[in-house]
Amino acid sequence: MSEDQKAHPSAARFARHPILPAARFARRSHVLTTISQVPRRIPDFGRGKMSSLLASGSRKPNLWSSARSYNNKAAGIPVGTKSLYDGSRETENCGVGMVASLHKIPSRKVFEDADEMLIRMSHRGGCGCDPNSGDGAGVLVGMPDAFMRSVAMENFGKELPGAGEYCVGNIFFPKDEAKMAHGKEILEGFVKRAGLSVMGWRKVPTDNSMLGKDPVDSEPFTEQIFVVNDGGKKGKVLNQRNFERELMRIRKLSEDEAALQDMEGFYINSLTPQTITYKGQFTPEQVSQYFLDLKNPDFITHMALVHSRFSTNTFPSWERAQPIRMMCHNGEINTLRGNKNWMYSRGGIMCSDYFGDDTVQLLPATSDNMSDSGNFDSVLELLTKGGDRSLPESIMMMIPEAWQDNKNLSDSKKSFYEFNSNIMEPWDGPAMVAFTDGRYIGATLDRNGLRPSRYYVTNDDHVMLSSEIGVCPELPDSEVKIKHRLEPGKMFLVDFDTARIIPDDEIKEQVASQRPYADWLKNSIDLEGWTKAAGSKRNKFDFTTTNRRLNMFGYSSETMEMLLLPMSVGGKEALGSMGNDAALAVLSTQPRQVSDYFKQLFAQVTNPPIDPIREELVMSLVCPVGPEGNMLSEPGPEHCSRLIVRQPVMTLEEMRTVKNQVYQRDGKDAFSTAVIDCTMPVGSGPQGMLEALDRICDEASSAMQGDLGVSGVQGVILSDRLSGPDRMPIPSLIAVGAVHQHLLSTKQRPKGAIFSECGDAREVHDFATLFGFGCDGVCPYVAYEALCKMNDEGLVEAKAKQPYSDHDLIQAYRNSASKGLLKVMSKMGISTLQSYKGAQVFEAVGLSEEIVDRCFTGTTTRIQGTDFDALYTDLERFHESAYPKNDNEMPLIKNYGQFHFRDGMEAHLNTPESMVNLQIASRTNSREAYKQFAKITNAQTQKVALRGQLKFKTTPSMKIPLEEVEPVENIVKRFVTGAMSLGSISQEAHETLAVAMNAIGGRSNTGEGGEDPKRFADNRRSSIKQVASGRFGVTSNYLANSDQIQIKMAQGAKPGEGGELPGFKVSEYIGMNRGTTPGVGLISPPPHHDIYSIEDLAQLIHDLKNAQPHGEVSVKLVSEVGIGVIAAGVAKAVADHIVVSGHDGGTGAAAWTGVKGCGLPWELGLAETQQTLVLNNLRDRVKLQTDGQLKTGRDVVIAALLGAEEFGFATAPLVAMGCIMMRKCHLNTCPVGIATQDEELRKKFNGQPEHVMNYMWLLAEDIREIMSELGFRNFQDMVGQTNYLEVNKAVQHYKSKNLDLSPLLTAASELNPESAVVNTTTQYHGLDKALDNEFIVGAQMALENGEKVVLEHDISNLNRTAGTMLSYEVSKRYGAEGLPDDTIHIKLEGHGGQSMGFTLAKGIFMDLEGDANDYCGKGLSGGKIAVRPKASVVEQGFVAEDNVVVGNVCLYGATGGKAFFRGKAGERFCVRNSGALAVVEGVGDHGAEYMTGGRLVILGETGRNFAAGMSGGIAYIYDPDGKFPERCNMGLVDLVRVEDELEVEELKGWIQEHVDHTGSAVGREMVGNFEDKVKDFVKVFPRDYARVLEERRKRDEEGGEVAA
């Protein structure tokens, strides 16, 4: 027994019996009482006709497990048909708007403005194949009292009581008269039993003549119920708040009863006296056309919320349209699974003061059959009506701003947020939520602020807030007194009772000051402080048996050297390269960790990842753990009596503290734990493992429950410390997952914390899975032992060239793990570990349902695979490697060859023998060598990849003569080379690939590093120009010289992350092409600045199509569960081409966690995409391409049969050019000159275009031979024909024998026989309607002859991407040089649409009087933009510098030109600017992020996190109050004064230019007194840029060449 075990209070039970717990934790015969056993109580309701509901028990019908079948049924998939499509993965993004009268004066104008706002955001919604079938739209209005009174009198001949004393509810019924009658009976019954009266029913007048087939087919009956608060038979009139509460109860019980009676289509849109919702499966234009009430001139209201929906598939529904009951939402809740699990489990401790025991009638508040917005709305309603929290307080609780490291927050607000973090985790994800309860109407942004939200306040005190400005075109600027934006984490709130807009600070201070939160927080227990006070010390390690533990827990020498050592010495995860070509865990014949079966999910398209480096300030790992309080009760100190864990990877000392100490407060136990043994006897067998899991779960449940007279513990520690020669450890992930799910199901999970003291967790992915499946804290004691052993043996000092203490090593390792966790969370767009915990954002690949259902309930596992029997076999093999039979010698640490090929160990796709044969074939054009390469590679594929488990269905009769098969000249045109950037590989290698692909008629891809413009006119030109988040080299000229523009949403080797190029690979040449500072490492931001949702991807597609009207726009996705519905959304966003990349793609540099732990095989992603596009009737619109370790003809043909028309190759062409897979790409030491910028190593490159060409020709011949065998003459005929594939059972083994690949092989045509299965048509991009067509006609003299022209036009928010097609015309004629400045002067008036001036070319000046939306000047390419308010408006007193004139993400990726904005800009201004001059009068958060060049002058305040990642260019901030330093991210910059005379004059000149173009009053005042004003400027000067300037100055002095 270890010292740690001996020291624990429960040591006696360990000694007596290693399995059974102490008596007080023993399994009891009685069953734990949970709410699920309490009968449903409906006070005074009786039973009568409600008996079916009452008899069902307290729990609502559990709809979670039926969500997939429900959604798939809606898609028309026959019951029993296996496919990869999962309708529950449907996501949505939207346009949101609000109009309100501050004085609560109803008018027709309020509704008409809201309706116009909705219509003018149509481009933010989606529609399917039929333009008359929308994704959903609706309007929520304040109860139109006068209209409803007239309706009641007309229909019932009765007078309604006073406003607030009646309710009109809008109800959907199934289109069946009998069911509708029964639905009415159900609802009326609950109304009467609540002591209320039903005045009557009214059929809502509708007109469906404008609807498409899909919405008509699913159209419900819509009727209104009039409910009166008159006391009914009871004669007791409720007060207004309780009236609302009873209506909520009535709605929930009625919908429950309808669900129990299988009444599909019964849905209550709204049932409240304050508001009413009209919505459905409409386009925005159809809402007021369909509901005739809305056309009635007497329909007046004082407020309205509008919403248009962009769904990622074409099976939207009437009920999922928004607004919902209290809110509408633009965004996505990334932590939804965890939020739903926690809310369900809280049902065991939740009790409303009003509803008492009947609180159960409101639960569960969440369901898988609701969208994320629906779940959020339901919980929001529960908080406000089930409890006593106000609407603003509830919103603050569910979507807290980033408070942990925010120096600008008051202490009271921080205390409020910290207190409420003890009650509920954030509903995390990018979100703009608009909300109302009748008294308030408002909106809030999540902490990242990625969603746009602008608002106007008019002179007559009307408020208009929406996703865009210009949506009420009839509103003249002269009537607007305030133009502003909603800021990250802030709240916009209208209080109708006080008739004013309450500022964010005021409302939050008011809420935060209601209770003594700071005093209550003293009840919290800080783990670090507790450990320090306890004086816990770790014991010394006994290294004599360490090797046994390392082998038993699956460590290898690679683990030690490639993962642990870099994490502890370098302080960050180790980088790798060339991707992951090792076997999937389920296909591996080696024993594998359970975490290896899980792949991290990541954000792409429908929501954005977060930048964990430059925007770390919005992220946090701090978590309260342990018993939660009742969230519906009055808040008090008991709610925060929890343990605060600041770093979830716990130290040995912290673990000893929670194991061995009991924290006491006022003489009572406040935090104690029980240790649960997570080992089993050797030889237990699979059944013994299951019995051990049962024991562990029972012990955990019993420990938390306590016993008669004995309180339960506040935490359980799942420990495998007892493992040894006679006992095997149960994998920590299995134990944690099983206990977490068990406690969720018994609703005990909120009663205590789960800690893991485990030997198998050591790398970031291990920790991520543990926390993702519910663990509260992990102590990786064997990892610590391994580190200290390496230190003891001198390996650390040898690596680091300096000594380290064990303490420093462990701290560095923990810090590295923390950074890695933040990155994993950020990939999914999750900001806080508290929200990530239990969110289950993983897919299991090759894990059986029996394991998933038991331990990871609700996690996707689509192809089955390893079961408990196989898992136990692996555990036995690990244990035997530690304790070999009949061998007492200390074993060596194993090397399984997971990272590098090792003969006889883990299988890899690339082997030395196969590479030799490929290089011989490529250099000699030898068919024999190629065939040997293909034979070896195909054999390896059987051991490594899913396609290796398939075989072709062939018969001799199918074969056709080879000469009848399509020639190689046609087939090679379907080939592309991978997106390997200039920088990751050398100039010589990059150009060789381009020359080769151009020669054969295929296409090469620039990658994200740009391309030297000198190549545009010759055979070195890459046809595919990639646009990634770094925007390197993206100019109008770059885009104009493309055949296809590829949007890099994700990269197979590291999805959810930006590209990475180490500083030593950024040479002068690379820096010139990328517009960055030489020698400075480049880690691109994840794709979130302008691709944070499906409608914004649609906008970027539109931008790029305008930039190259004659080329394709492609979107590169990475395989993950749900990629099908994402691809459907991309097709609806009018992409021409979609790439599905596999997880095993190559990379120049990436952390191993991303390479190994993220993304799925392309086989799954491609098949799902094909099936979903066909199912949605979208396949004909787009071409499909796939990539990821494609090498042989067999690979290509399988990909084609699964649905691909084009194919990407990267590793194989590199090998053909000479790559020998040293995996040194990230080190710049490639010995063959391919993946290096070192000039000497580049000389060793001897690859030739012919080598790549030979490989491609040989590959095409291989494909032709297989086509001949299968009987296909034309390649296109082969696409999507999965019936030519079947499972090859001969290659399966003890793990893979249970794989079920039938969902992969389901023919898409079976799902929708009417749909095409290949691309047959083109997308309509609407370019013929663009305003630029008029610009081009008007600018002909300038384009043809260079003559100056002046054009004048009105512009609106519907005129998106203005100036871009004109820029294309300039670039095609004049290249990067463009035209002389101001040759084309376009004078505009109005509201600039999104992306105004995108890649505006040199010579064009867009001069706007008015304001502009998001992305103004994005990619500015030498042109000039000025935006200013109208002079007449300024003369009336409008103060431009106090108001917002342009939106978010302006000048993102600008490479040159000038921009002048009179007024403030939104968030993320000048991100990745590399060459433009910008002058603006204030910016939001994250300004100048990742800026690498250019100049930025800000004549007002900035938001937080300015200059994060800024490595080039200079910013000048006017800061008379000295506030700027605390808002600046000082990681890469210094702040200095502007003192150089030339620089002072230059700065003054820029401000004068700003005055000349905009009439800026602020600028004019500064210029007039610049000698004094310049003293208040702060110069933001990147240190790396200063270094480069100094180096260039010295070179210039020495007569050396000065780099560009």
Side-chain angles (χ1 to χ4, degrees), residues 134-156:
D135 281 0
V139 57
L140 179 156
V141 298
M143 186 64 71
D145 183 63
F147 175 77
M148 291 304 176
R149 288 182 184 282
S150 66
V151 164
M153 185 59 68
E154 178 184 338
N155 284 267
F156 318 125

Side-chain angles (χ1 to χ4, degrees), residues 869-1136:
D869 285 358
L871 184 61
Y872 182 82
T873 298
D874 277 4
L875 294 179
E876 268 194 325
R877 293 176 67 186
F878 279 135
H879 191 270
E880 189 172 337
S881 70
Y883 299 95
K885 293 178 181 177
N886 305 317
D887 187 353
N888 293 323
E889 292 294 320
M890 181 61 58
L892 297 175
I893 301 173
K894 300 278 286 188
N895 184 346
Y896 292 103
Q898 267 289 312
F899 295 86
H900 292 291
F901 176 83
R902 185 177 174 83
D903 194 28
M905 300 306 289
E906 188 62 87
H908 287 255
L909 200 53
N910 297 288
T911 68
E913 188 181 3
S914 69
M915 288 189 288
V916 167
N917 279 282
L918 175 55
Q919 289 178 351
I920 292 172
S922 300
R923 280 161 170 71
T924 66
N925 202 23
S926 166
R927 290 197 178 192
E928 286 306 313
Y930 173 83
K931 287 186 176 182
Q932 187 62 20
F933 154 74
K935 179 181 178 181
I936 296 167
T937 302
N938 290 335
Q940 290 300 112
T941 303
Q942 293 179 345
K943 305 173 185 177
V944 169
L946 289 182
R947 60 186 177 279
Q949 313 310 298
L950 304 175
K951 64 180 180 179
F952 299 121
K953 287 183 186 176
T954 59
T955 62
S957 62
M958 296 165 56
K959 187 172 182 178
I960 61 173
L962 187 60
E963 56 269 19
E964 293 182 16
V965 177
E966 186 174 352
V968 293
E969 291 82 0
N970 291 348
I971 293 174
V972 293
K973 292 177 182 178
R974 297 176 180 271
F975 297 168
V976 302
T977 50
M980 296 170 280
S981 70
L982 179 59
S984 68
I985 61 176
S986 65
Q987 180 182 349
E988 294 80 5
H990 201 267
E991 293 180 0
T992 297
L993 289 170
V995 171
M997 297 311 289
N998 287 332
I1000 66 172
R1003 291 182 290 184
S1004 64
N1005 190 318
T1006 60
E1008 66 171 291
E1011 186 173 73
D1012 191 335
K1014 295 174 183 176
R1015 293 167 53 179
F1016 292 170
D1018 60 34
N1019 65 348
R1020 298 174 297 159
R1021 170 186 178 269
S1022 289
S1023 298
I1024 304 171
K1025 301 289 195 290
Q1026 193 175 75
V1027 174
S1029 55
R1031 294 298 197 268
F1032 300 117
V1034 177
T1035 66
S1036 175
N1037 191 38
Y1038 172 83
L1039 299 174
N1041 283 280
S1042 67
D1043 298 326
Q1044 181 186 95
I1045 303 171
Q1046 183 182 88
I1047 300 170
K1048 180 184 177 183
M1049 281 304 311
Q1051 181 176 340
K1054 47 183 173 184
E1057 302 179 47
E1060 185 162 355
L1061 191 68
F1064 43 69
K1065 294 185 80 169
V1066 185
S1067 64
E1068 289 283 354
Y1069 178 73
I1070 299 303
M1072 177 192 71
N1073 279 297
R1074 294 187 176 223
T1076 67
T1077 305
V1080 177
L1082 303 174
I1083 303 177
S1084 299
H1088 70 180
H1089 293 298
D1090 67 341
I1091 324 176
Y1092 53 79
S1093 66
I1094 185 66
E1095 76 264 24
D1096 291 280
L1097 176 64
Q1099 177 61 45
L1100 181 57
I1101 291 169
H1102 187 68
D1103 294 344
L1104 297 174
K1105 193 68 178 182
N1106 278 262
Q1108 172 41 294
H1110 308 294
E1112 294 178 332
V1113 178
S1114 174
V1115 177
K1116 181 179 182 180
L1117 306 174
V1118 171
S1119 177
E1120 70 170 332
V1121 62
I1123 190 176
V1125 290
I1126 289 170
V1130 171
K1132 289 169 66 176
V1134 297
D1136 304 299

Side-chain angles (χ1 to χ4, degrees), residues 422 520-526 640-642 644 663 665:
N422 286 276
W520 291 347
L521 285 169
K522 294 173 184 175
N523 265 20
S524 298
I525 307 164
D526 183 78
C640 54
S641 296
R642 305 186 72 192
I644 306 302
Y663 190 93
R665 183 185 296 113

Side-chain angles (χ1 to χ4, degrees), residues 1123-1321:
I1123 190 176
V1125 290
I1126 289 170
V1130 171
K1132 289 169 66 176
V1134 297
D1136 304 299
H1137 186 277
I1138 297 173
V1139 181
V1140 177
S1141 289
H1143 71 115
D1144 47 3
T1147 176
W1152 281 115
T1153 297
V1155 173
K1156 291 280 191 179
C1158 203
L1160 297 181
W1162 61 256
E1163 297 93 327
L1164 282 171
L1166 176 61
E1168 182 186 344
T1169 299
Q1170 173 78 356
Q1171 292 173 11
T1172 308
L1173 291 176
V1174 169
L1175 193 60
N1176 282 268
N1177 286 307
L1178 295 169
R1179 182 62 180 88
D1180 61 331
R1181 296 190 190 186
V1182 294
K1183 293 177 185 173
L1184 270 188
Q1185 179 185 314
T1186 197
D1187 63 43
Q1189 296 294 341
L1190 297 178
K1191 298 184 185 305
T1192 69
R1194 184 180 188 278
D1195 294 340
V1196 171
V1197 171
I1198 289 177
L1201 294 171
L1202 291 175
E1205 292 153 305
E1206 296 181 357
F1207 313 90
F1209 307 88
T1211 303
L1214 291 182
V1215 173
M1217 290 193 300
C1219 173
I1220 54 175
M1221 292 290 288
M1222 291 292 291
R1223 298 185 185 271
K1224 303 288 186 183
C1225 313
H1226 57 296
L1227 301 176
N1228 204 33
T1229 57
C1230 174
V1232 293
I1234 292 178
T1236 181
Q1237 302 305 321
D1238 183 281
E1239 292 187 8
E1240 290 304 313
L1241 291 174
R1242 282 168 54 194
K1243 293 175 183 177
K1244 298 184 178 183
F1245 178 74
N1246 62 7
Q1248 297 297 322
E1250 290 76 16
H1251 300 160
V1252 178
M1253 294 164 63
N1254 286 339
Y1255 165 64
M1256 296 297 181
W1257 293 122
L1258 292 165
L1259 174 62
E1261 285 290 0
D1262 189 5
I1263 293 167
R1264 292 184 71 241
E1265 290 175 5
I1266 298 173
M1267 290 173 63
S1268 169
E1269 294 289 333
L1270 294 175
F1272 289 108
R1273 289 175 174 81
N1274 297 309
F1275 195 100
Q1276 193 76 349
D1277 296 338
M1278 192 163 56
V1279 176
Q1281 304 303 316
T1282 55
N1283 51 306
Y1284 284 80
L1285 291 170
E1286 63 183 341
V1287 174
N1288 183 7
K1289 294 186 179 296
V1291 300
Q1292 295 180 339
H1293 51 71
Y1294 73 104
K1295 293 183 197 173
S1296 58
K1297 65 182 181 181
N1298 293 318
L1299 280 173
D1300 178 9
L1301 298 182
S1302 55
L1304 194 77
L1305 300 181
T1306 297
S1309 56
E1310 291 180 16
L1311 306 178
N1312 185 1
E1314 304 300 317
S1315 172
V1317 296
V1318 296
N1319 176 230
T1320 61
T1321 187

